Every structure is written in C-alpha cells, then in structure tokens.
Amino acid sequence: MSKPFYSRKLHILILLTIIFSLSACFSDKNGKIKLLHFSSDISSDATPFVLKELLDKENEGVSKITFEKGEYHFYPDKGLEKFCYISNHNDVVIKTAFPLSQMKGLTIDGQGATFVFHGKMIPFLIDGSTNIAIKNLSIDWEVPFHSEALIVANDLENKTFDLKIAKEYPYEIRNGQLYFIKESYEHNLGQAILYDPERRAIAYNTEDYTPLTIYNNLPNKNTKTAVAYKYKVDSHDPVQNRIAREYALRVEELEPGLVRVYNHRKKIPPVGKVLVCKGEQHANRLAPAIRITNTNGFNAKNVKVHHAGGMGLIAENSSDLILDRFDVTPSRGRMVSTTADATHFVGCRGRIELKKCIFKNQLDDATNVHGTYQEVVDVIDEFTIGVRMGHYQQQGFVIGKPKDKVGLVRLKNSFFPYDSLTIKSVQKLNSRYQKITFNESLPASLESGDLIENLSAYPEMLLVEDCIISNNRARGLLLSTPNETVIRNNFFSTEMEALLIPVESGHWFESGNGANISIIDNTFQDCNHSGYNRGVIRFVTDDDNHNIAFNNINIKGNTFNHFDNLILEVANTDGLVFQENVITNSKTFPKRHNQKSAFRLKSSRNIQFKKNTYEGDAETVVEVEGNMQKVEFN
Amino acid sequence: MSKPFYSRKLHILILLTIIFSLSACFSDKNGKIKLLHFSSDISSDATPFVLKELLDKENEGVSKITFEKGEYHFYPDKGLEKFCYISNHNDVVIKTAFPLSQMKGLTIDGQGATFVFHGKMIPFLIDGSTNIAIKNLSIDWEVPFHSEALIVANDLENKTFDLKIAKEYPYEIRNGQLYFIKESYEHNLGQAILYDPERRAIAYNTEDYTPLTIYNNLPNKNTKTAVAYKYKVDSHDPVQNRIAREYALRVEELEPGLVRVYNHRKKIPPVGKVLVCKGEQHANRLAPAIRITNTNGFNAKNVKVHHAGGMGLIAENSSDLILDRFDVTPSRGRMVSTTADATHFVGCRGRIELKKCIFKNQLDDATNVHGTYQEVVDVIDEFTIGVRMGHYQQQGFVIGKPKDKVGLVRLKNSFFPYDSLTIKSVQKLNSRYQKITFNESLPASLESGDLIENLSAYPEMLLVEDCIISNNRARGLLLSTPNETVIRNNFFSTEMEALLIPVESGHWFESGNGANISIIDNTFQDCNHSGYNRGVIRFVTDDDNHNIAFNNINIKGNTFNHFDNLILEVANTDGLVFQENVITNSKTFPKRHNQKSAFRLKSSRNIQFKKNTYEGDAETVVEVEGNMQKVEFN
C-alpha cells in the first residue's frame, strides 16, 4: 500500500477536522472531556463535525458544548438518520445533527449562534436523557416548509383569485395542481389560511375564505368499502382518506410568479391578504425543531425558533420541562414561524413551565398539554389487554411505564375513570396496537370500547407566565391538565380560543380533564377573530351530557378587550369563580356574530361571578342553557 | 378490584389462547421447549398467536414450528411492526408475523399449509440468524399488490383503448387518473405490461405497447434547479423525480368495470391482451415474501410463493442459502405471481443454490445476484472514507463487516479493483452516507468518484439447476458473480435475456464481474420475445471500452429454440467457449429484428465455437464488431 496522499478532488474535511479537533476539547483532571467548543470554521455544513464529536465514545460525559457566535448551516446529507414515531406528527425517517441520547447533565450554549437547517431534519433529537439544557441560540430553516403568496386580484363573479408568488417560493403546476418545491420536499395548497400583512396576524374572518376547498367527493363512494377489513380502519389515515375524493381546485399560470386559482367553494379571498399554506395534514408535520422523549429535566433558555416543519418543541413521556424566553417568531419577513404548535407536551410529568416566552405566528396552538386515550380492543388474559391508538399521527406512542396508574374510562358514563390498574409491562407490537399487562387482574366491568388514560402522566404543575401569544392560527393554550395549572400575566391574541379546556375523545384522542386551573392577570385581546363563535376561554366536552368534567377553576383579574360578545363558555364544570375581571368593547373588528350573551353556561354547577366590570354590549351578560340553575353576573 | 369476568363483547382471544397453549408446546428433558405446534383453530387471524409464541422468551431455543395443514390468514393489525431498509425495495414500516431474529437452528414446517397475508406485511423477516429452514408451505395474498385488466376494445385512430376490470380489482378515477384500491394500499397504471392470456406469458412485442406513457414533461424545467443543493442529488429519488412532470394519461369510466384510456403515446395495445400494472417503481416494492439479512444458513424446501408486493425472496449480507423446490407461481387465475424478482441476493456469500425451482410469471428477474458499488465522496482521515449509496432503493445497505476485503474501483480504467483494503468498521450515519474505516491507510491514488465493492461478499458458488424460468417480465438470471457459477439443465422462456451478465454502474450500482460461469444443458425457448434486440445470453458493460470484465465462460450442450436471430452477445470478455449447443429456428413468433447475425462479439478475446449445430437462418452466424479478431463458428 502506498503512502497516503489526499487528492485535492476530495472534500477538504480532513483539514477542517484537524483544526477543529485541536481547539475543541477541554478535559478535566481525570482526562475526561467536559467541554466541547465548535468554532465557526465548520459553519458551511456543521452537521458532520458536530455529529463526529457527539457520536465519539471518547466524548461520553461531556457536560457543555459551546459554539462561537455566528451562522451555522446544517445539511441533512451527512446527518444521523433515525426513524421516529412522533406524537402529533408524521412518523418520519429523518436526519439530525444533535442526537442527544442517554445523555446526563449536558448544556448546549450557542452563545448567540444561529443554526440554519436544510430540508428534512430534526435539529435536536433528545431521548432517554437527564438534565439537558439548550440556551442562547436560534433555529431557522433556509427554505421553509410552508409557502406564502399575496392575493393581488380576484373575480367574485367567476370565483377566481390570483396569487403573486415570490421567487423564495418556487412552484410548478402539474395537472392543474400547484406544488411548492422545497429542499427534498414539496407541498400543495392544503391547510391554507389568510394572513393580514398589516397586522402580521391571521386575517379577521379568515374562516369565511379558508381553508381552500382542495377536494371534491367523488359521486361513487363504493370504493370506500371495496376492500373488506377484518378490524377497525381509521378513516383519517391518509391511505383511507384519499379514497372517493379528488382534487377540486384548478390552478393556471398567468405569467411566471402569477397564478389564478379556480373552483374554490368558500368565499373568494380578498385582495391584499397573504395566503399561507403548508400542504395536507398527513404530510406536513415532519421536522419539529426540538423533539424530547423519555427525558427527565429539560431547560431551554433564550432559544429562538424561527421556523420548523412541525412543532417548535414536542415532548413525550418526559418530566420537568422549563422553557424560559423560548421564543417562536418568524424570521426573514415571513408571516409564519413554525408550521404547527409552538410547543406540545404529551404524557409529561413533574413541572412544565413556560416563562417569558413569545409564541407568535405559528400555524397551531402556543401549547397543548395532554395525555392519550387508547381504546381497549382485546382482553388477552386475566391481566392483559390489547389497546389501539386512535389517531394516525399519534401512532407509536407508548402510554406509560411500569408502576404507572392507568384509569379505565367509559366516557358516556363519566369523564373520570371507573376503575384503575397499575402497569406491569407494555409490549408495543405495532404503532396502532400494543399489549398492556397490569399488576392487578382486570375488573369484570371492563368492556371492549372502553378507553384507558395514564393518570400518572399528567404534569403535577403547569405554569404559563409572562408570555406573549399572538398572531398564530388556532388556540393559545389547549389544556387537559387535571392536577394544577397557573396561567398568569400573559397576553393572548389568537384567532381561535385563547384557552381551550376540552375532553376530547373523537379525533385526536387527547386525554385529560381540566381541574385546579388559575387564570390570573392575563390580557385577552380580540381572540377568536377568525370567525368562530366561541368563548375566549372555553370549557367543552365531545360527549354531550350533564356529567362533570372540570372543576376548581379560578379566573381572576384578567382583562378581555374583545370586539365580539362571547367571552366565556362553560360546560360540564363544577366550581368556577370568575372574579375581578374587566371586559371592554375593543371595537377592533366589526362584531361577527349575532351572539346575545357574553357568558354561556351549561351542565354546570357552583359557578360564581364576583366583582367583575362589564363594558361590553351583549344583550344578556350570562346565558344559562338547559335546565341549569340561573347564575347572576356581578 | 372485582373478580375477572370477560365480556362477550371482547374478542374471544382468551379461549383460543388456552386451547392453543395446551396443544402447542413439547419440551425436552430439561424443560426447554423444542417444538411448537399451531392448530388450524387460529386460522382466522394467525398473526397474534404466532407472534405471542415467537416473542415469548420462554420459547427461546425452539427448534421446530409446525402447522396443522389448512389455510391460515395473517392480518397486519396485530403484527409486529418494523422499519426496514430493504435492498432493491422501498424502505418500509411493515408488519410481520414471523420475526425470526437471532434464531439458531429453527425449522418451520407448514405441513402443506397455505398462509394468506393481508396488506402491508413481510411474512418472514429473518435477521441475524443461523440455520433457518422453511418448508412445506404456500405464501399468498388475499388482495394482490398488482392489478390485471382485459383489453376489450381499442380505437387506433383516436388512440384509445378500453379496459374491462373485474371486481377483484376495485378501482376509482380521480382527476382522470386510475387508482386500484388494495388493502391499505393503492397503485396507478405505472409499470404496465401486456400478458398474453392464451400463453399466460408476457405478450410478444409488448415493448411496442408498454409501459404506458403515464408522464409528460412540463415545458418549464426551471423547477428542477429551483432549490440549491450543497451535495449531489439523486434524480431518480421520488422527491426529485416528480418535479417537472405531470400525468399524461386520462381515464374515463364508460360503465362500471369498463374504462377508456386516452393519451397513451406508444402503440395502442391490442384487444384480447391482459394489461398488468403495479404502480410506480418508487412505491411498488414494499412487501417481499421472505426477507433475509445477516443470516448464515437458510434453506427453503417445497415452499410456494404465489404472490408478494415485491420479491419472493430477498437476501442481503447472508451466506449459504439453499432453495430446493422454491416455486414462485401465480394462484387464483392471476397472470402475475410476485411483483418484482422471484429471488434476489445482495452481498451474499458461501453457496447459493436454486434447485428444482419454478420461477413463473413474476414481474422481474428469476434471480439477481450482485454486490453494491458505493461512491467515495470524502476522505475523512488517513484510514476513513465517506461513501454514498447510488440508488434510492439501495439506501441503507451496509457494504460489509470487519475483515472484509474491499476493492477500490475506477471503472473508466478497469473493471477490476486497482487496490484493496480491509474493513475495520462501518459507521452507518444515514441510508445514503456511511463512514468506512480500514485497517490499512488509504492509497494515494484514491480519488473522489472512485467506487468501492466488497470482494469478500460474492458467493463462493452459485448453482442454478433443474429450474423452470418462464412467463415473467425481465430476465431469467442477472448475475454479477466472479467466483463460480453453474447453470445446468434449466428451462428458460423470458421476455428479456435468459442470462444477463453485466457490469452495471449507472443506475442500480450493482457490483460484480462475471467469471467462471458454466452454462450447461439448458433449454432456451423463445426468449427476448417482448421486443428487445438482445442476446439470449448477454455479456455487457455500462462503460463502453475495450477492457476485460468477464472471463472463463463455458456454454455447453444447450438448446436454443429461438424465433429471432440473436443468440449470444459478448463484450469485454476474455475466454469463452461455446460448444455442443444446438440452435433451432422455432418459428413460434414472427422474427422481430432485422438482425443479420446470431452471435455478436466485441472487445473480447479467446472466444471459441466448437461442435455446435446451427439450424437458424441468420445471414451471418458470427459478427465481430470493432477491431476484434474474426472468430469462426463451428
């Protein structure tokens, strides 16, 4: 073998690696590496350099990783690939640059660096770790997973509108359908919504215009039943969902960068608004910025997420997650930050804190905290059941771990468990079907179709404090937290409810009953402006009955500056005090709904109003539905 | 907790499990389970019962599994899910009923049972095991992954044809495109081919008519370069491949079960032929019947594969694979058996034997034996290179293991390695990009763009004997086997070459130079009848030069009953003896090509013809191209 000589034709990785290695490692007295530092020499593609060190067994036990301030690009080509089941996302084959697996006590300090990702990547993939901190860095994508286009003309008679598409959003038209071309990705006009470019927020009344009606049903639906299935089939699953439908819109290019959209069946969007789209749900949640599983202790401080093709942060089966100045905001003049929720917590325990965060312009909730309902489909032996996951984007989620207390729920009878068992083991056979063995024998009352929820896997305490939540699609906070929740001194301006507290069992199967919730000193500015007649704060269950789902709610000292009438919807609640709040008539937008009351109550008891100021102009302040006792507004 | 009582509403799994358990296990003297027997009680969905036993740690060490004779259905719903990178297939999330992982010395004897699978499953997923045998069983699918339709009318003037679609192939038309609806799967008119229902074989001259021209190129191809990529992009990858193309065909339903196809640009298919289609390549190889990786010793005996959504058997990085009466044949009156190769071996070692097998009506080769070329893209340090996989359906393949000898190849200079190294370790970062560290330092001559191949990972001996290979799309045997190959007493009637021995580096990156090949006493009946002007036996390289790729070939005692002129193509070969063969003029089909010679030789030496009988009517028997020396036919 001849002596090594490195051809100039080869990439100059060697040289960079040497420079990097010399400056990278600082050891403790035992020779164990404690600190890794990356210089901006690696910025043209930092992925292989960061990965090399993170995967190097020599670096086990590293406690701090720092970056020289600068802009670092991360490409997927040399990234570590993982197949991930991600709750409320697609299950994806994805690359990462920061696989933080089985780590203990690691801080990544960007020192002000910006990390720009390319294509299908999850920047931080954190699993099975303890006490991980990320701070002082920004996460962005060079090419976003959504697209934006200005509506420059419309024709109300012929029901068309014209989109001006900037060259940052390359597109093409195939068989009359518009596709936006991204880095190894593309999307169509699915899940579109209007932004108001002046307010840089979701447009008033966008629900009249959007989403675009991209599908028509086919006249013959026999194909839906053409294949005989032995077991239950999820009609939302993309394989089933495409049956008996075809694309409805037709798009035509008038000139490069200018396209006309035909066949939209809702109102034709107005000129001057920005149409934002991200493609269809089943394909558009693939690259969250931070993904955390089975991790105890996570802290993000001064982290900016400018974009993600999915959520800003999705945590599952983890505990003690503190976000302090975790800002989700758009960059580069984009209307949109993340294409799904800013943050999302499934089956998480301990403390969850969101403090001094900004959650702006994301295309879904600021946060969503919940467990999962799973359906009992088999009794396998005296101790073991087979359960089925409900929603295709929650597939693969494992409901709990040994010793967890699992509630058996029959929602038509009660929102609370009729019995409970403790987990001995979970065998995940596939993403839909798992076997759960309990320490105790199954109760006689157990029936197929009952749900289970993990009673041990709700946060002990959720704190949302001093946050700004605005300009985003969907809700502010979507909470299924039965233990303790404090929502204090936040600003909300959301197109749907600011606070939604549901029992949801019909679509996403997100479990949990809201209880012990304090909502204090917040400002709610013109929420629900996209068109829904819903309470700014809303307690609601999928099951329409008189059972109690929610209790011990304290709403105090808040200001509701609201253009419309409806402030609060309460259902299935026992114990709610609404006190010392101020409701003003903001007149920001025209009133949208012929809604006579400001407060709508049903199937509830022990609801009190004390020392509030009402400056709105609803005909009736408090409306009570059904045979519920009348409640006075004070 | 109350006493257990099992609601009748629940599936009756419990009872069945008890029956099953009582009859299932026979132990040896040490109480170790040696035999599992399944009765036909489990036949309505055998998946959970088989899995329960296979995943039970108590059953470790089981040496034989038997089934009562009968028809067993296997559904995916309760199957074990795996994410698999499969060579020459899609990378899939798939369910299996037989996860044979880390097993030693296990025989599965179906005792004549038929296993009918449903939807996206890999029946047998064998990994990291030793001495596995499967025998006496049939594998089929209830709903096939391909579709068949009879051409009942055509209009040559308006260039349309009409398909009669039986109700076993439910379909619908969306936006003018035909989709066949399967069990949690669907496909379009991609990769269509004509079958002749009388011969139950690929139709004569089908290449004139098929594949259907499902795409048009878009006039503006700027979108192909609209996104700037830092690294090389695979234009065949489905994400890239869909850019700048749209669907060309338009399909209209005339009445239920009868559709008209417009816009086909090849010749309009004739009435009476059966159009078979399986959808587009990037999506249609997902469910092979038997998948084997990292396994030493596999034996299939008297196994029938009636169908698979992919290959009948795909083996990677395994050794000593013996198929004896492994029959791939269609069932239920279908034209098609497996939708891809009957068998396929990548990076396999030791002996590969195919004996007394039948490979009929599959939609690709009877077998393909090869290694992989991987491209050197980085030199990372003195001992380490970064390599890139070429074809998107070979992603994830790991080229070898420690101590394997890897050749460094520069095909423009030589088909043989210019140097070699031994593997110390392979780090698979992602499915495209892996780092390989060698025991020796890299040679100075190494250049970016060079290829590597694993010289240790070719079969020591390949035997194909007493097999019937017919009625299928594509080749009989596609061989890249440099050690020793014996092809004896087989019958071939294939629409492309019976035997293709290539050096292929332009598309699939399948490595290996053919050498030491004996082709003895076979019958070649009317191969290449679909329309290509190719040798029944063909030696060919992608690189057009005069270097030697193949050597020591013996073609002896064979009968070529052939309708057309071209029998043998030889290029880049040193040492080929063609002796005691008989060539007849079969007149089965009209001659297709204006091909003047029966034997076409180029860039070769030491080619001899001895004691052959030529009864064909080619103008010239042996044609020599370029400046190669003339060769006499004898």
Side-chain angles (χ1 to χ4, degrees), chain A residues 345-356:
Chain A
F345 303 87
V346 189
C348 290
R349 313 169 193 222
R351 289 184 76 83
I352 299 177
E353 297 186 5
L354 312 179
K355 296 183 298 192
K356 298 183 179 161

Side-chain angles (χ1 to χ4, degrees), chain A residues 62-130:
Chain A
V62 64
S63 60
K64 192 165 186 180
I65 299 174
T66 56
F67 284 80
E68 185 182 353
K69 193 173 175 177
E71 182 177 284
Y72 297 75
H73 287 258
F74 290 85
Y75 287 88
D77 303 65
K78 296 173 187 177
L80 186 70
E81 185 170 286
K82 297 271 183 188
F83 173 68
C84 300
Y85 297 101
I86 313 178
S87 187
N88 297 72
H89 281 75
N90 301 94
D91 300 329
V92 290
V93 180
I94 198 101
K95 314 290 199 304
T96 187
F98 292 92
L100 307 180
S101 186
Q102 311 299 324
M103 299 267 187
K104 281 186 184 166
L106 170 66
T107 296
I108 296 176
D109 187 345
Q111 302 189 137
T114 297
F115 292 174
V116 181
F117 292 84
H118 292 259
K120 294 180 189 164
M121 300 188 78
I122 297 179
F124 293 93
L125 202 49
I126 303 165
D127 179 55
S129 294
T130 311

Side-chain angles (χ1 to χ4, degrees), chain B residues 142-156:
Chain B
E142 184 70 28
V143 178
F145 289 93
H146 76 287
S147 301
E148 305 180 4
L150 184 65
I151 296 163
V152 291
N154 65 16
D155 179 338
L156 300 182

Side-chain angles (χ1 to χ4, degrees), chain B residues 11 65 115 212 313 316 320 374 400 466 473 496 520 574:
Chain B
H11 296 178
I65 298 174
F115 292 174
L212 299 181
L313 180 146
E316 301 168 56
D320 298 322
Q374 304 188 352
D466 303 326
R473 195 198 79 87
M496 292 188 194
I520 301 171
D574 181 3

Side-chain angles (χ1 to χ4, degrees), chain A residues 327-344:
Chain A
D327 295 351
V328 172
T329 59
S331 66
R332 308 177 187 210
R334 296 172 189 157
M335 291 291 152
V336 168
S337 56
T338 61
T339 68
D341 311 47
T343 68
H344 199 119

